[in-house]
Amino acid sequence: MKRTKIILEDNDIPRQWYNIMADMPTIPKPPLHPATKKPVGPDDLSAIFPMALIEQEVTQERWITIPEEVLDCYTLWRPSPLYRAHRLEKALDTPAKIYYKYEGVSPSGSHKTNTSIPQAYYNKQAGIKRIATETGAGQWGAAISLAGVFFGLEITVYMVKVSYNQKPYRRISMETWGASVYPSPSTLTNSGRAILEKDPDSHGSLGIAISEAVEDAATHKDTNYALGSVLNHVLLHQTVIGLELKKQFELAGDYPDIVIACCGGGSNLGGLSFPFLYDKIHGRELRVIAVEPESCPTLTKGQFRYDYGDTAGLTPLLMMYTLGHDFVPPGIHAGGLRYHADSSLVSQLTHDRLIEARAYHQTEVFTAALLFSKSEGIIPAPESSHAIKCAIDEALLAKEEGKEKTIVFSLSGHGYLDLTAYSDFLEGKIIDCSFPEDKIKEALQRLPVID
Ligand SMILES: *Cc1c(COP(=O)(O)O)cnc(C)c1O
């Protein structure tokens, strides 16, 4: 059985990013200053972001031109391939057509280079010397470390401690590309030291690591901060995925009924789905599904409220689905999905019912990952495997209903640096953490009050 691969030419890389704010029925409420609780202005953000990115954060222009220097880097791995998963379809005996857009072909192994490259570019343009950032599973840290090499920036990475220990190869990739990597919570920042004082054994969280990186950037003039997900400009950059995908579906003479992606902060989901949501907003029928872990169920069990992006409350307040900024999710293997909140854009679109959300447990996700890798060969990232599980469920439902359906999911990264997780699963060591209801309830009580 042949695997259908739909590839584009080099000059088919999109020249512009798509900004969904031009078309959303409801624009998200503005970010608020953490101290005054008033809307933040560009000046509030300029201590940690270059102006070009601040503009992209707020603009409602539909199309944003991609700089030539960024396009040059994109050609290293873009356009990324779209595959039809014939063997998976056969294994499931489904009438559904399953496609996946594979972002694991990027040098760092995930979609995150789509935004690390432009972020490094705009910071370099602004005369910045160093970027401080956080990383969960290490995918973002690796992506920004590589971008730092291309544009001559120093990179400092605060890596969530549980991943630092579980995923040494990602740390080594970052160091190979020249970055300095510290386990978070660290003793280098006030935020890190405060956490360690309360809990010396803290295994960290993205929220804590963000506090450390923001503090580092805010206290050094030549240093800016960069975020790998959540923010509007990050999702904007990721739309190269969905724009390519639309062209690929045209080539294949097909169009999706269901578009699926895992959701940590929402960037691969936004990147894949926004160009299709444009069609949905303009009357075309299709479903977009965000998939998250049952142990960190932001969209399915969180509240749509203003909250901080980090644990210490240093970042602006964003209007988003949240489990509470000091909620520390269990140490599951899909580290990239352990974030207490979600992008404002994805949250608003979910609130407006343009995006659906669902949550799965770890073991059923790994079971799906094994079936996928035995059918298609690629070992998927544990994060992406959430999307695989959902695609499989939808394909099985199509079989039950006897319906032909076209399903596409984002294979946001490969899992070749996550083999410890697979080994744990194969040895039966991966268990389902139940939904941490009490801890979430407590954290939600500490949400900031906005009047
Ligand atoms: C970081 C990451 C995710 C989750 O982040 P989003 O911003 O929600 O896309 C998903 N998959 C992979 C492979 C990742 O590295």
Side-chain angles (χ1 to χ4, degrees):
M1 196 188 311
K2 251 181 88 185
R3 179 163 75 165
T4 312
K5 179 179 183 183
I6 300 137
I7 37 175
L8 298 171
E9 302 293 330
D10 276 2
N11 57 14
D12 280 330
I13 298 178
R15 306 250 140 193
Q16 294 170 312
W17 293 299
Y18 167 60
N19 178 13
I20 198 163
M21 277 200 280
D23 297 292
M24 289 171 79
T26 325
I27 301 289
K29 288 192 187 170
L32 304 180
H33 192 283
T36 65
K37 313 252 164 69
K38 299 277 176 265
V40 291
D43 291 346
D44 297 318
L45 299 173
S46 63
I48 57 169
F49 292 117
M51 208 39 89
L53 291 176
I54 295 172
E55 278 161 16
Q56 290 180 4
E57 197 58 25
V58 296
T59 181
Q60 291 180 25
E61 292 273 328
R62 183 172 289 117
W63 296 104
I64 309 293
T65 300
I66 306 177
E68 282 301 322
E69 292 88 337
V70 171
L71 283 172
D72 277 358
C73 291
Y74 277 177
T75 57
L76 282 173
W77 75 97
R78 306 213 70 83
S80 71
L82 173 67
Y83 291 110
R84 169 99 182 260
H86 288 294
R87 285 172 196 271
L88 179 62
E89 289 169 18
K90 178 137 191 273
L92 299 170
D93 187 26
T94 174
K97 288 185 266 181
I98 306 175
Y99 295 86
Y100 56 99
K101 176 79 167 153
Y102 187 34
E103 291 296 312
V105 293
S106 92
S108 71
S110 81
H111 65 290
K112 294 207 171 66
T113 25
N114 297 328
T115 184
S116 70
I117 299 285
Q119 290 195 49
Y121 168 79
Y122 291 118
N123 274 293
K124 182 68 183 184
Q125 290 284 305
I128 288 299
K129 300 265 181 310
R130 183 169 71 96
I131 286 180
T133 193
E134 74 293 329
T135 196
Q139 302 266 29
W140 168 243
I144 192 73
S145 300
L146 179 68
V149 178
F150 289 153
F151 294 102
L153 292 166
E154 273 176 64
I155 306 290
T156 303
V157 182
Y158 295 89
M159 183 169 187
V160 177
K161 198 184 277 166
V162 61
S163 295
Y164 187 92
N165 295 326
Q166 272 176 359
K167 310 199 174 201
Y169 294 114
R170 287 259 161 64
R171 170 176 59 75
I172 298 165
S173 311
M174 294 179 237
E175 288 168 349
T176 302
W177 285 317
S180 310
V181 190
Y182 304 101
S184 163
S186 78
T187 52
L188 296 165
T189 65
N190 289 331
S191 329
R193 286 188 293 267
I195 297 280
L196 287 174
E197 230 164 74
K198 270 197 277 176
D199 178 9
D201 299 323
S202 166
H203 56 207
S205 72
L206 268 180
I208 295 169
I210 294 174
S211 299
E212 293 206 86
V214 169
E215 183 183 324
D216 183 337
T219 51
H220 295 93
K221 212 169 167 28
D222 64 352
T223 303
N224 265 351
Y225 168 69
L227 190 59
S229 184
V230 178
L231 297 180
N232 300 351
H233 67 262
V234 177
L235 275 67
L236 173 80
H237 301 155
Q238 292 296 352
T239 58
V240 287
I241 304 173
L243 292 167
E244 281 179 11
L245 180 57
K246 266 187 140 173
K247 281 195 193 170
Q248 284 163 313
F249 268 121
E250 259 170 50
L251 273 182
D254 209 343
Y255 189 88
D257 299 297
I258 310 178
V259 175
I260 301 168
C262 68
C263 186
S267 76
N268 89 95
L269 170 74
L272 183 83
S273 69
F274 286 178
F276 291 93
L277 282 178
Y278 173 90
D279 293 349
K280 187 175 167 83
I281 290 165
H282 292 88
R284 184 141 194 177
E285 225 175 281
L286 85 133
R287 294 166 61 203
V288 174
I289 309 179
V291 192
E292 52 188 21
E294 191 66 53
S295 56
C296 190
T298 317
L299 293 170
T300 48
K301 301 239 173 70
Q303 292 183 4
F304 188 50
R305 294 266 297 271
Y306 269 112
D307 197 7
Y308 301 104
D310 68 323
T311 305
L314 301 175
T315 72
L317 293 151
L318 297 176
M319 184 69 188
M320 57 191 175
Y321 279 95
T322 178
L323 297 169
H325 56 277
D326 57 4
F327 167 67
V328 178
I332 54 164
H333 274 284
L337 305 183
R338 287 180 72 235
Y339 185 57
H340 68 273
D342 266 308
S343 127
S344 269
L345 293 173
V346 165
S347 295
Q348 186 67 54
L349 290 161
T350 305
H351 192 67
D352 290 345
R353 297 176 186 273
L354 285 157
I355 297 177
E356 308 164 31
R358 81 173 59 156
Y360 288 114
H361 285 292
Q362 281 203 102
T363 50
E364 55 187 350
V365 164
F366 273 102
T367 304
L370 254 54
L371 176 62
F372 176 81
S373 65
K374 285 174 180 167
S375 312
E376 298 297 313
I378 300 167
I379 298 180
E383 290 85 359
S384 321
S385 304
H386 288 71
I388 297 174
K389 166 65 179 156
C390 179
I392 289 175
D393 277 9
E394 287 299 322
L396 290 174
L397 187 65
K399 175 169 150 185
E400 245 177 71
E401 298 172 345
K403 275 192 197 146
E404 241 193 57
K405 260 186 222 168
T406 298
I407 300 168
V408 65
F409 68 88
S410 161
L411 189 57
S412 50
H414 67 64
Y416 296 107
L417 297 184
D418 303 288
L419 292 179
T420 315
Y422 280 88
S423 141
D424 285 354
F425 179 68
L426 294 172
E427 287 171 25
K429 284 197 218 146
I430 286 193
I431 44 152
D432 288 332
C433 325
S434 59
F435 163 58
E437 191 163 2
D438 292 345
K439 275 174 72 190
I440 291 175
K441 226 183 235 164
E442 263 178 60
L444 284 171
Q445 276 165 9
R446 291 187 293 267
L447 282 186
V449 179
I450 312 296
D451 26 62

